[in-house]
Amino acid sequence: MSALRESLGFLANRLRQVGIFVALILIVLLLQGLTDGILLQPQNVTNLVVQNSYILILAIGMVMVIIAGHIDLSVGSIAGFIGAVAGVMIVHWGWSWWVAIPACLLVGALVGAWQGYWIAYVGIPAFIVTLAGMLIFRGLTLITLKNQQITPFPDELRALGGGFLPDISGGTSVLEWLTVILGVGATAAFLVQEVRQRRIRLKFNLENEPPAWFFTKIGFSALLMLVMTFLLASYRGTPIVLVVLAVLVVGYSAVMANSVFGRHIYALGGNLHAAELSGVKTRGVTFRLFVNMGVLSALAGLIFTARLNSAQPAGGTGFELDAIAAAFIGGAAVQGGIGTVAGAMIGGLIMGVLNNGMSILGLGTDYQQLIKGMVLLLAVAFDIFNKNRSGAGGVGKWFTFRRRTSPSADSRPVAEEKEPVAAAK
Amino acid sequence: MQTPILSMRGITKTFPGVKALQDVNLDVNRGEVHAICGENGAGKSTLMKVLSGVYPHSSFEGEILFEGEPCHFSNITDSEKRGIVIIHQELALSPYLSIAENIYLGNEQASRGWVDWQKTNLEASKLLARVGLSENPATPIQHITVGKQQLVEIAKALSKQVKLLILDEPTAALNDEDSGHLLDLILHLKGQGVTSIIISHKLNEIRRVADAVTIIRDGKTIETLRLEHGISQERIIRGMVGRDLESLYPDRDPQIGEEVLRIEDWSVQHPQDSTRMVVQNATITVRKGEVVGLAGLMGAGRTELAMSVFGRTYGHATSGRVLKNGREINTTTVPHAIENGLAYATEDRKHYGLNLIEDIQRNVSMAGLRKLVKRGWVDRNQETLVAEGYRKSMNIKAPSVAAVVGKLSGGNQQKVVLSKWMFSDPEVLILDEPTRGIDVGAKYEIYSIIATLAAQGKAIIVISSELPELLGICDRIYTLAAGRVTGEVPIEQATQETLMHYMTQEKE
């Protein structure tokens, strides 16, 4: 009886933390209804992934920057600049894609190093440095392009934006089998990993979540992965950007949760002075953070350019705001110290699904902007409301990727802790 | 004299899952100074929040009678209207505004929407005179000391026609002189008919000013002692911790070995003012298994000395040598200092010691995170096990190591700080005010931890403003005055008087 109550209480507590995830699902279902099922048609799902991939990639870097207590307003301009650089390298100079892509990422790293230097070593607030960067790199984009677009790009680069993994069944089957194999394989790997981690925690007698919750959670996640697989497989298969994105999300989630670098980022945002006095090389971490942001911006710029098949003077305009919005909807804290890559991805998807769904419905940009603005405001308001009530972490907290442990260790014991713990004694 | 101005009856305040207050009764007589004692987390602050309307009337059970009338406050403004003003431990002053502006913040002296500056400054200077502060009311708050800022807070309370003044640990951040002044002021206001409630951990202060003491433990009133029936320190301590403390300090059998750390000829300039030497030619040593105290008045340079040694985190143009086991070591950055076996637990754990929004395990692992790395990744199971180990051995009171540190009481937070530095496995620990803001029971635990560490062969330097504490736990005490080492006293010869003698002896 008490065990049941305990797990129910646990569930209520968790449900609030997964609120933003539930919100995404509700928005999808709502728009699915309103668009008479167009939203979740295989072709549209594929579009959704491809259209939003570069914003999601930027959101990965952005949530890291925000967790460290900074902000980056320049990512859109950097993405545009790198698009221009790619145009010059590939179209004007005739470089092959496998030279140009690493070269572009390197330029992104240098741009990031430039900004990181001013922020970390000179000590100018990131808001100012990246506001300046937004202007500087937009200017450089225009200079590089001489105010004209560069087009067309070779097919190899365009595949990065709109290409698919090869169809091994030769286009004869209803389902695209490579996608099925990848999707089912990933789902199985996910299940095995989760169960294995739970076993390890049981073995060490560490805190674990109630079995009911655990199995519901992984079951539901696995189901979603399989549905997604089916939808992609019944259209043209796996977009290449999805593979890139998946690798980045898994990799960066692991970095944020389990690497020294990632842990130092959280420490920086949580309490800069304490981090410094604990031996964290705060300047070095900040510098590397912006170098990383530069590389991800470059990658986003490449994908965007590849998708449009053109490097444009205004390319990337406004990307920074979408990326920032994604991070905050996904539960990152304005003061830093709280947030997850997975949360930012869900935040980005909410914005993406709204964009896509409302476009299908034929709503004009006027109403689209209005609604997206309200969603951002309400999402953060909801988060702050929760925090005020419980003092706990952001809603994205539950989605922390974990390499060796199950999510429970990360969950903040919220319900039982409204007051100093000693008071409970 | 014996009419109660305030009577709180059967106050019960429940947070989901926790009964923070249970049937608490408090009677405060008109014109008295009433102290409230209790361990951190006992419910003192919650009780004061109930009284001042921070928790609205509907959120708790019980009744409050103020001047004989029942009170139904729904916010602080309501209680201030009745003349109940609370001054929190963390002062609520705006550093860039002037003294006068701060006093009338939210209560501006204005006519038709425009501030009347003449009236503001004139009234402010009258209030400042009442609290015995001779400062120009136009001085920005950031330019006066914390002790004076505390007086400004009281002036602000007086501007609201205060009848009942509540002070939450008013002397926690003050030096002895300022504390003395503040306590005199409380007694002076008492003479003018202001009733005060004072929350304090410092038992000597309570004995000096209080007419009555109410002891709270685990959310319940234990007893109220009145001056006429005698207030004894032992009785208060017994009431607070629920047991007799045979001694305030644990017994030690010091096993002192070779010299481990030698700070030689150490000088530090003030970071902004190059004409000021904050530490001057200081030489101190500490041996294996030894607890060495650093005593000094405010501004003597104790914290500055420690922080400049620990990764040059304070000061400018630092010179001198740090030797460990006879060899000079590099302590120019914090990572170097940690690598070379130093640890420094700050006096300000909330701002410099802990990541309050993170959980216990992540705070514990912060300084020694690299020890948990396996094949490039942090081993989080190991991390949990390490933290769990400290939670048990240090007796950190929390439901689990996944508890957020910001929600723990001061004593438990301090244990987390100590765990963090123990995990970094230093040879020399510098503990700056290790028991500041901690209640008596937890203090004893911290002293025991220090004793255990010394017994394990660590060399420990303790910086403290409380002389009895240094006398209780140290083997040897250095005194500092104006940045110089003015004395080195073995514990056998040390008394409060001798230490104070050296601490006030400023050499030319």
Side-chain angles (χ1 to χ4, degrees):
Chain A
M1 180 59 201
S2 78
L4 179 69
R5 209 159 77 219
E6 201 171 285
S7 58
L8 275 179
F10 183 87
L11 204 66
N13 167 14
R14 279 304 164 81
L15 275 178
R16 209 182 63 228
Q17 291 183 3
V18 301
I20 209 73
F21 189 54
V22 175
L24 172 64
I25 290 171
L26 290 180
I27 288 172
V28 167
L29 292 179
L30 175 73
L31 287 170
Q32 169 76 353
L34 288 176
T35 59
D36 296 326
I38 299 177
L39 187 81
L40 288 184
Q41 272 181 8
Q43 181 182 352
N44 195 50
V45 168
T46 307
N47 275 342
L48 244 166
V49 170
V50 177
Q51 273 170 7
N52 290 299
S53 55
Y54 39 88
I55 295 296
L56 293 178
I57 288 173
L58 288 175
I60 294 174
M62 189 64 76
V63 77
M64 293 166 71
V65 167
I66 288 172
I67 290 168
H70 296 291
I71 194 86
D72 193 337
L73 301 174
S74 66
V75 297
S77 292
I78 297 176
F81 175 57
I82 297 298
V85 169
V88 170
M89 283 177 177
I90 297 173
V91 179
H92 289 180
W93 298 348
W95 290 17
S96 12
W97 64 273
W98 50 269
V99 182
I101 290 178
C104 283
L105 296 180
L106 183 67
V107 174
L110 289 174
V111 167
W114 158 264
Q115 304 210 97
Y117 166 77
W118 293 105
I119 296 163
Y121 296 109
V122 182
I124 302 175
F127 185 89
I128 306 292
V129 172
T130 60
L131 182 63
M134 182 173 164
L135 297 168
I136 292 170
F137 297 107
R138 180 60 58 198
L140 285 176
T141 310
L142 297 176
I143 293 168
T144 313
L145 290 175
K146 299 191 180 69
N147 254 328
Q148 286 169 335
Q149 62 163 329
I150 295 179
T151 191
F153 282 84
D155 288 346
E156 292 90 343
L157 189 81
R158 290 178 61 193
L160 184 61
F164 293 86
L165 290 183
D167 186 347
I168 52 172
S169 57
T172 52
S173 164
V174 182
L175 284 180
E176 208 280 313
W177 287 105
L178 181 60
T179 302
V180 173
I181 293 167
L182 283 176
V184 173
T187 309
F190 165 76
L191 289 175
V192 168
Q193 184 72 354
E194 285 289 314
V195 171
R196 214 175 57 104
Q197 282 157 5
R198 188 179 167 80
R199 283 233 188 94
I200 293 174
R201 293 187 67 78
L202 283 176
K203 196 175 105 190
F204 283 109
N205 212 4
L206 299 176
E207 243 190 320
N208 245 326
E209 44 201 347
W213 168 256
F214 174 76
F215 288 111
T216 314
K217 186 192 76 183
I218 64 166
F220 187 70
S221 307
L223 185 69
L224 277 185
M225 287 172 82
L226 291 176
V227 168
M228 186 76 186
T229 304
F230 172 77
L231 287 171
L232 289 173
S234 46
Y235 183 56
R236 289 181 54 192
T238 315
I240 291 175
V241 285
L242 180 62
V243 178
V244 174
L245 189 63
V247 169
L248 290 177
V249 169
V250 171
Y252 274 100
S253 297
V255 164
M256 288 309 282
N258 297 330
S259 79
V260 174
F261 178 52
R263 300 290 294 272
H264 282 176
I265 292 172
Y266 280 103
L268 224 66
N271 186 341
L272 182 67
H273 298 301
E276 204 158 15
L277 281 174
S278 299
V280 176
K281 292 170 183 160
T282 50
R283 288 163 180 227
V285 172
T286 305
F287 180 76
R288 284 197 283 160
L289 192 61
F290 279 91
V291 171
N292 176 66
M293 185 77 250
V295 174
L296 288 174
S297 305
L299 182 60
L302 281 171
I303 292 173
F304 174 71
T305 307
R307 196 172 109 75
L308 287 189
N309 189 22
S310 126
Q312 296 185 338
T317 308
F319 283 9
E320 62 279 345
L321 300 181
D322 285 338
I324 292 169
F328 284 131
I329 291 177
V334 184
Q335 317 86 309
I338 292 170
T340 57
V341 169
M345 294 303 96
I346 290 169
L349 282 175
I350 286 183
M351 292 298 251
V353 168
L354 281 172
N355 268 337
N356 181 283
M358 290 190 295
S359 297
I360 296 171
L361 286 173
L363 277 179
T365 20
D366 41 6
Y367 283 100
Q368 290 198 20
Q369 301 227 11
L370 179 89
I371 290 171
K372 277 174 5 187
M374 289 305 291
V375 167
L376 171 61
L377 197 62
L378 291 177
V380 177
F382 174 75
D383 210 24
I384 285 175
F385 174 70
N386 270 342
K387 256 181 253 169
N388 286 348
R389 275 200 325 182
S390 66
V395 283
K397 211 71 213 184
W398 177 67
F399 299 98
T400 311
F401 176 89
R402 197 156 305 272
R403 192 166 146 275
R404 324 191 77 135
T405 59
S406 74
S408 69
D410 201 59
S411 72
R412 302 308 195 245
V414 212
E416 67 276 19
E417 268 196 50
K418 308 277 164 168
E419 267 292 282
V421 170
K425 290 285 298 175
Chain B
M1 262 315 261
Q2 291 303 325
T3 48
I5 185 171
L6 171 77
S7 178
M8 298 177 84
R9 294 264 142 256
I11 304 292
T12 297
K13 168 82 186 161
T14 322
F15 295 103
V18 180
K19 259 199 176 152
L21 295 175
Q22 213 172 337
D23 197 23
V24 170
N25 298 312
L26 177 67
D27 283 299
V28 179
N29 290 336
R30 190 179 290 277
E32 74 177 2
V33 176
H34 196 113
I36 296 184
C37 288
E39 291 193 315
N40 280 358
K44 297 166 303 197
S45 297
T46 311
L47 184 65
M48 290 305 112
K49 283 179 181 167
V50 164
L51 173 56
S52 59
V54 173
Y55 297 128
H57 179 254
S58 53
S59 71
F60 59 88
E61 294 160 37
E63 61 170 353
I64 303 174
L65 293 172
F66 186 65
E67 298 185 307
E69 288 171 41
C71 301
H72 305 281
F73 301 139
S74 47
N75 53 46
I76 296 188
T77 322
D78 288 354
S79 63
E80 285 187 349
K81 268 186 204 145
R82 295 286 298 268
I84 300 175
V85 180
I86 183 164
I87 297 178
H88 293 282
Q89 191 179 350
E90 273 96 22
L91 300 179
L93 297 171
S94 172
Y96 307 113
L97 297 183
S98 72
I99 294 176
E101 285 173 296
N102 267 291
I103 290 177
Y104 287 109
L105 195 62
N107 178 26
E108 283 76 9
Q109 299 299 297
S111 64
R112 276 180 255 122
W114 297 91
V115 174
D116 182 346
W117 286 110
Q118 218 173 345
K119 190 177 173 201
T120 303
N121 286 323
L122 194 72
E123 294 295 320
S125 30
K126 282 187 201 159
L127 290 168
L128 292 182
R130 265 183 87 188
V131 299
L133 183 58
S134 54
E135 286 283 341
N136 183 344
T139 312
I141 283 291
Q142 57 174 346
H143 292 158
I144 62 174
T145 62
V146 183
K148 289 179 177 173
Q149 290 176 6
Q150 185 72 259
L151 298 179
V152 172
E153 278 277 18
I154 293 176
K156 187 175 172 181
L158 291 177
S159 79
K160 295 170 185 160
Q161 314 301 329
V162 63
K163 290 177 193 156
L164 176 63
L165 183 64
I166 305 166
L167 298 129
D168 191 354
E169 300 197 29
T171 62
L174 303 188
N175 61 24
D176 286 346
E177 195 189 331
D178 286 344
S179 302
H181 189 126
L182 185 78
L183 297 175
D184 288 342
L185 178 62
I186 292 171
L187 292 174
H188 178 67
L189 292 174
K190 176 182 154 187
Q192 297 181 5
V194 177
T195 312
S196 302
I197 294 179
I198 168 170
I199 295 178
S200 178
H201 286 126
K202 297 183 182 168
L203 302 182
N204 54 344
E205 289 178 9
I206 290 171
R207 293 214 312 182
R208 188 169 150 196
V209 297
D211 301 305
V213 180
T214 294
I215 300 159
I216 295 180
R217 186 173 77 225
D218 301 334
K220 293 176 201 146
T221 11
I222 301 303
E223 60 180 339
T224 296
L225 307 171
R226 296 207 170 266
L227 198 57
E228 53 268 32
H229 306 119
I231 297 173
S232 81
Q233 189 160 334
E234 292 69 34
R235 182 125 175 227
I236 296 175
I237 292 173
R238 195 167 60 226
M240 281 167 68
V241 299
R243 66 188 129 86
D244 283 305
L245 282 185
E246 295 196 339
S247 156
L248 286 171
Y249 306 99
D251 282 333
R252 280 182 59 213
D253 177 24
Q255 303 285 330
I256 297 171
E258 294 291 296
E259 177 180 298
V260 177
L261 189 81
R262 182 179 191 87
I263 299 165
E264 211 172 67
D265 209 13
W266 197 256
S267 296
V268 182
Q269 245 177 43
H270 190 272
Q272 275 92 42
D273 183 356
S274 62
T275 60
R276 259 176 69 194
M277 297 303 288
V278 180
V279 180
Q280 230 169 330
N281 307 102
T283 297
I284 65 170
T285 61
V286 53
R287 288 173 288 180
K288 197 170 156 71
E290 187 182 34
V291 181
V292 169
L294 287 188
L297 298 169
M298 283 286 211
R302 296 163 300 168
T303 297
E304 292 81 358
L305 169 65
M307 288 185 74
S308 61
V309 168
F310 188 69
R312 304 271 157 96
T313 43
Y314 173 87
H316 187 69
T318 305
S319 68
R321 300 203 301 161
V322 182
L323 298 111
K324 200 182 76 180
N325 303 322
R327 288 220 326 272
E328 186 163 359
I329 55 167
N330 176 359
T331 63
T332 51
T333 67
V334 177
H336 280 132
I338 293 175
E339 226 168 84
N340 283 312
L342 296 191
Y344 168 73
T346 166
E347 60 177 332
D348 185 350
R349 55 182 171 267
K350 284 189 176 161
H351 292 113
Y352 296 98
L354 293 167
N355 183 349
L356 295 173
I357 57 174
E358 279 289 8
D359 54 20
I360 294 175
Q361 41 187 344
R362 288 190 169 204
N363 273 286
V364 168
S365 65
M366 201 63 248
L369 194 58
R370 280 173 209 285
K371 289 169 65 182
L372 291 168
V373 173
K374 273 187 199 155
R375 280 171 287 153
W377 298 96
V378 177
D379 185 337
R380 299 180 61 163
N381 289 329
Q382 192 61 37
E383 182 179 35
T384 309
L385 288 175
V386 165
E388 192 59 43
Y390 284 115
R391 184 170 80 93
K392 291 204 182 98
S393 68
M394 307 277 270
N395 191 22
I396 300 170
K397 286 169 199 150
S400 85
V401 292
V404 176
V405 166
K407 300 187 158 198
L408 304 181
S409 67
N412 287 311
Q413 288 183 347
Q414 188 66 348
K415 290 178 198 167
V416 174
V417 173
L418 290 178
S419 304
K420 170 170 91 171
W421 289 113
M422 282 163 73
F423 181 58
S424 81
D425 198 20
E427 285 170 71
V428 183
L429 274 117
I430 306 171
L431 309 177
D432 198 347
E433 302 284 1
T435 63
R436 173 171 289 177
I438 295 181
D439 53 71
V440 178
K443 272 184 184 176
Y444 187 84
E445 286 185 276
I446 300 286
Y447 298 143
S448 305
I449 292 164
I450 293 172
T452 313
L453 287 170
Q456 289 166 3
K458 308 277 186 204
I460 295 169
I461 299 174
V462 176
I463 298 173
S464 175
S465 297
E466 291 181 37
L467 293 180
E469 174 172 293
L470 290 177
L471 293 170
I473 58 175
C474 294
D475 302 313
R476 194 155 54 89
I477 300 171
Y478 288 100
T479 55
L480 270 75
R484 291 171 187 274
V485 176
T486 53
E488 179 187 347
V489 191
I491 193 66
E492 303 79 30
Q493 297 164 22
T495 61
Q496 297 209 41
E497 289 72 28
T498 51
L499 291 177
M500 192 51 87
H501 172 73
Y502 287 119
M503 282 156 64
T504 49
Q505 188 181 68
E506 301 198 359
K507 285 181 188 169
E508 277 310 309

